[in-house]
Amino acid sequence: MPDEPRRLNRASLGILLILLLLAGSARLWGLGDDSLWNNEILSHERATQATLSEAYALIRPGTHPPLYPLGVLRPWLQFGDSEWMQRFPSVVFGLLTLWLCFRLGRYAFSTRVGLIAAGVLVALPLHLYYSREGRMYALLALLVALWTAALVHAMNRNRLQDWAVYALTAAASLYCHYYAGLSLLAAGVFTGGYLLAFRRERRLLLRWLGANLAALLLFLPWLPTLWFQLHNDPVSHLKALPADGVLLLPIQFFTLFERVSPLLSGVVGLAIGVLTLAGLRITMRSADGVRRYTHGLLLAIVAGTVLIAALVSLLKPIIFIRYFVGVLPAFALLMAAGLDRGFGARGSAISASLVQRGGLAVSVGALVVLLLVSVGTSRTVLTEAWRPDFKTPTQILLNQGRPGDRVLLFAPQGTPFSMIGFDYYYRAPMPVETDYGPRPVGQKLLSALNRDRSGEASVVWVVQHQQVKRLQPPEGYEVTFRERYTTRFFQRKNRISLTRLERQ
């Protein structure tokens, strides 16, 4: 296939710019409104240590490699460390991924496929959500898209510079998130089989092997730390998926953490299947080698990553929906490829035309269903708070609290980690007394007040997390302030309350 033309026509360029504008607006909308949540705060802490050795000491017992906190956040947060600043790099990575998705679609398929794929990615809720979070997932999607595009170009042109870009971006993706290794393995199995079956070119095969070896060598210095992390039980909190859990994963790309009806899940799953089969049918009938290889590679990256993760999870659960953000560009391109020319057809001119029109109508209908679900879920992402709101109550404590006031923090047993947000935002001068026990809040309060033998504290602030009960003021106290802060948090609600008790 010849290289793509250097210039876009005005209509295509206009559509692409509109898509980038929509994507940027959605990803920037209220970017700094939510509090940083637990894992964002961990990324912040790792990035802002005084020395790299101190940062490594925090990263080593964790779950993820160092590229995002040290390579992105550490230099970037020198300019400011607000919520907006920490999340802004993910917005940039998300927009670059959209542009790259268009470029790859245009190169391997057509301008139409590139634009449709970019449009899918604009509103794909899972990509939208993690393009607005101060963590590594938007960067993961960009890096996987980069080595995918580099691999397609290298397989087509067999130029050393393309193989070098592939090796560098493949290694970078491993330093970003370990799930990139699952995608690289899936792509490697497919590409190796493709080379042996269809492209028996010794020089091409050697360069492909050399590029993969170079990527592995670049990642080699981190392998001891990876080995330590694997034996540190980093994903012990994950649960095994039910039997149909793997099949529901692609549906969650559109429904995110929302609880949806089986009917809606079935409709979304059917639409995904229709577009996947439509794209396969077109590609299998195409004589274009680049198109056929690229389509197979994209399918291997998406399905192979899910399959390998599912197989590993038979031994140890490692699946969580956000880990699949890296395959979203390939997924968007697969969906777009199914709309390129409907299902295609052969036969007489009349029957071919009818079948093509019917196939195109089915494909368009499937895409419309997916876009409608995406827009509905994306609206929820943009209009509701999704992270525990520790910023608001701690700001009130900072502004209204006085030295000598008591601050009591009550939370259910076993959730100190969930209170990282409070520790991060709390800057008031009053010391905090914590109780993570399972007792009712009223009993905790009476016990804490009885411990105040000096009787000097005339004001008591009570912070409740999760076990949010309406406090009845004990004898001698009255409630002078009461507020509750309820947000989404994945598939459940997060509740925080702040109550001010004043001695009468």
Side-chain angles (χ1 to χ4, degrees), residues 119-269:
V120 170
L121 207 57
V122 167
L124 196 61
L126 190 62
H127 189 260
L128 173 63
Y129 187 90
Y130 286 104
S131 294
R132 293 167 47 83
E133 183 166 277
R135 301 191 69 206
M136 76 291 294
Y137 295 105
L139 178 59
L140 171 66
L142 175 61
L143 290 172
V144 172
L146 276 169
W147 65 248
T148 302
L151 182 56
V152 170
H153 281 80
M155 289 288 290
N156 181 38
R157 301 183 293 199
N158 198 19
R159 300 190 308 181
L160 286 176
Q161 55 263 48
D162 293 325
W163 288 116
V165 172
Y166 167 71
L168 289 171
T169 52
S173 69
L174 290 171
Y175 276 105
C176 179
H177 196 283
Y178 298 130
Y179 251 58
L182 305 185
S183 300
L184 282 166
L185 178 59
V189 171
F190 170 77
T191 301
Y194 181 85
L195 286 170
L196 294 175
F198 302 107
R199 299 283 299 276
R200 298 177 182 178
E201 303 173 26
R202 184 172 179 272
R203 188 179 181 187
L204 185 62
L205 178 61
L206 288 177
R207 287 186 173 180
W208 171 70
L209 291 172
N212 283 287
L213 179 60
L216 183 59
L217 289 175
L218 288 170
F219 187 66
L220 194 61
W222 190 254
L223 283 180
T225 303
L226 169 60
W227 184 257
F228 175 83
Q229 290 178 335
L230 289 175
H231 288 79
N232 198 35
D233 205 17
V235 290
S236 58
H237 61 286
L238 297 180
K239 298 179 180 180
L241 286 182
D244 60 349
V246 175
L247 296 176
L248 292 176
L249 281 172
I251 297 172
Q252 283 189 271
F253 295 170
F254 297 93
T255 61
L256 202 59
F257 312 115
E258 294 285 274
R259 299 184 186 277
V260 298
S261 66
L263 176 60
L264 182 58
S265 294
V267 170
V268 173

Side-chain angles (χ1 to χ4, degrees), residues 116 120 254 271-273 275-276 330-339 367 370:
I116 295 171
V120 170
F254 297 93
I272 293 172
L275 290 172
T276 302
F331 181 79
L333 283 163
L334 284 176
M335 297 298 96
L339 201 67
L367 186 65
L370 295 181

Side-chain angles (χ1 to χ4, degrees), residues 472-501:
Q472 297 300 324
E475 184 177 352
Y477 287 87
E478 65 175 344
V479 175
T480 57
F481 177 88
R482 194 198 310 266
E483 194 64 64
R484 177 179 292 191
Y485 314 94
T486 301
T487 62
R488 289 176 177 267
F489 193 57
F490 297 109
Q491 290 183 328
R492 60 184 174 85
K493 295 287 187 181
N494 185 278
R495 297 177 176 86
I496 300 170
S497 74
L498 178 63
T499 305
R500 184 178 188 269
L501 301 175

Side-chain angles (χ1 to χ4, degrees), residues 282-298:
I282 298 169
T283 295
M284 293 304 294
R285 292 182 174 184
S286 173
D288 187 337
V290 175
R291 179 188 180 110
R292 296 184 68 174
Y293 170 74
T294 304
H295 197 284
L297 177 65
L298 297 173

Side-chain angles (χ1 to χ4, degrees), residues 42 49 93-94 134 171 187 210 235 251-252 257 306 313-314 323-324 342 397 408 420-421 472 481:
L42 290 179
Q49 295 301 303
F93 298 145
V235 290
I251 297 172
Q252 283 189 271
F257 312 115
V306 172
S313 292
L314 294 177
Y323 297 167
F324 294 94
L397 286 171
L408 308 178
I420 288 179
Q472 297 300 324
F481 177 88

Side-chain angles (χ1 to χ4, degrees), residues 63-146:
T63 313
H64 301 299
L67 179 60
Y68 178 75
L70 299 188
V72 176
L73 283 188
R74 189 173 180 85
W76 174 250
L77 292 181
Q78 301 300 316
F79 300 100
D81 64 351
S82 66
E83 295 85 359
W84 193 95
M85 286 293 288
Q86 177 158 340
R87 291 167 181 155
F88 182 70
S90 293
V91 174
V92 176
F93 298 145
L95 294 178
L96 289 174
T97 304
L98 186 147
W99 173 79
L100 186 61
C101 194
F102 162 75
R103 293 274 297 182
L104 179 55
R106 184 173 180 235
Y107 177 79
F109 299 95
S110 66
T111 299
R112 176 173 54 249
V113 169
L115 289 172
I116 295 171
V120 170
L121 207 57
V122 167
L124 196 61
L126 190 62
H127 189 260
L128 173 63
Y129 187 90
Y130 286 104
S131 294
R132 293 167 47 83
E133 183 166 277
R135 301 191 69 206
M136 76 291 294
Y137 295 105
L139 178 59
L140 171 66
L142 175 61
L143 290 172
V144 172
L146 276 169

